[in-house]
Amino acid sequence: MTETITSRDGTTLVVDTIGQGAPVILVGGAFNDRSTVAGLGAELASGFTVVTYDRRGRGGSDDRSEGYRVANEVDDLAAVIAHVGGRAAVFGHSSGAVLVLEGAMHALPIDRVAVYEPSYQADESLPRPPADVYDRLRALVAAGDRDGAVELFLCGVVGVPAGAVAGMKADETWPFLLDKAPSLPYDVLLSTPWQLMPFDRIARIGVPVLAVYGDRTAPGLAAATKAVAATVPGAVLEVMPGEDHAVLQRPTALAAILAKFF
């Protein structure tokens, strides 16, 4: 079932619901919309009411705010939780993982949190983008330069080599990435990749947390996942053999881990 709901500032969010059981909300990261977590949702639908939604500014959801604020997306998550009955378990991938952790830090009515490779910076020895990357990204989006915004995010934030990005531009999925360009500043604001993750705030999370990463992922993502597990009291860490950041394309094993946790 597909429905629309309204967030605090009037932004319209498109929400899909499938399955029966306790509610579980799935949240994708950068360049993701509800379609990219649909496979994982289908795997979980036999035991849960699975809810996916287009984060603001992507897919079928609009964005009526006058500026980018993390609080906007926390409000959106709160609206989705209210829509499913007022309490839910949540899962987030990449910057979506950071968003669901923010929801827990803001004391939203969340029962359990599972995250896959949150896009924090946790290792001081690894390179970080300059602090002006957010302002540069916003300027490109405001100018309508979606190619430039996507390229800056991939090269300047994620660390994809320029040659690889050139190859991506020739791929049929490039238009899908361009469609998500206006929402990229939210992903950067959530992750603040120019600084270390907020350990003090994360340590105050009071709900059960499962942190998962693949053993073939980037060192920074593995470090961030380990750091979340080590910082949240009582959190559980799980490593998926043979997996990397693209786990949503192969959701079966991850779904089994989440079903057990939820």
Side-chain angles (χ1 to χ4, degrees), residues 96-171:
V98 177
L99 175 54
V100 300
L101 289 168
E102 278 290 332
M105 287 184 266
H106 281 78
L108 296 188
I110 292 171
D111 293 322
R112 301 174 81 82
V113 176
V115 295
Y116 189 89
E117 298 185 2
S119 52
Y120 285 127
Q121 294 283 352
D123 189 337
E124 291 186 275
S125 69
L126 294 175
R128 285 178 264 168
D132 69 347
V133 70
Y134 169 69
D135 291 330
R136 291 163 56 204
L137 184 60
R138 266 193 82 174
L140 289 168
V141 170
D145 184 359
R146 295 193 176 200
D147 281 277
V150 171
E151 187 166 359
L152 174 61
F153 185 86
L154 290 172
C155 296
V157 178
V158 180
V160 178
V165 172
M168 293 171 68
K169 288 183 176 181
D171 190 86

Side-chain angles (χ1 to χ4, degrees), residues 18-32:
I18 186 174
Q20 292 183 338
V24 172
I25 299 170
L26 309 181
V27 185
F31 301 120
N32 281 238

Side-chain angles (χ1 to χ4, degrees), residues 189-240:
L189 268 185
L190 281 164
S191 304
T192 56
W194 54 87
Q195 63 187 21
L196 292 179
M197 58 188 280
F199 290 95
D200 290 347
R201 295 180 61 229
I202 292 171
R204 294 195 290 271
I205 292 176
V207 297
V209 170
L210 170 68
V212 187
Y213 73 95
D215 64 4
R216 294 187 179 180
T217 199
L221 293 169
T225 311
K226 294 175 186 177
V228 167
T231 304
V232 177
V236 175
L237 178 68
E238 183 142 356
V239 184
M240 293 186 67

Side-chain angles (χ1 to χ4, degrees), residues 49-90:
T49 297
V50 182
V51 180
T52 60
Y53 71 101
D54 286 335
R55 287 169 55 189
R56 65 171 55 211
R58 63 185 82 189
S61 298
D62 59 23
D63 186 358
R64 302 189 186 183
S65 61
E66 296 182 357
Y68 294 94
R69 296 169 57 244
V70 169
N72 293 338
E73 290 221 273
V74 174
D75 286 343
D76 296 346
L77 180 57
V80 177
I81 294 171
H83 173 69
V84 301
R87 299 200 66 86
V90 294

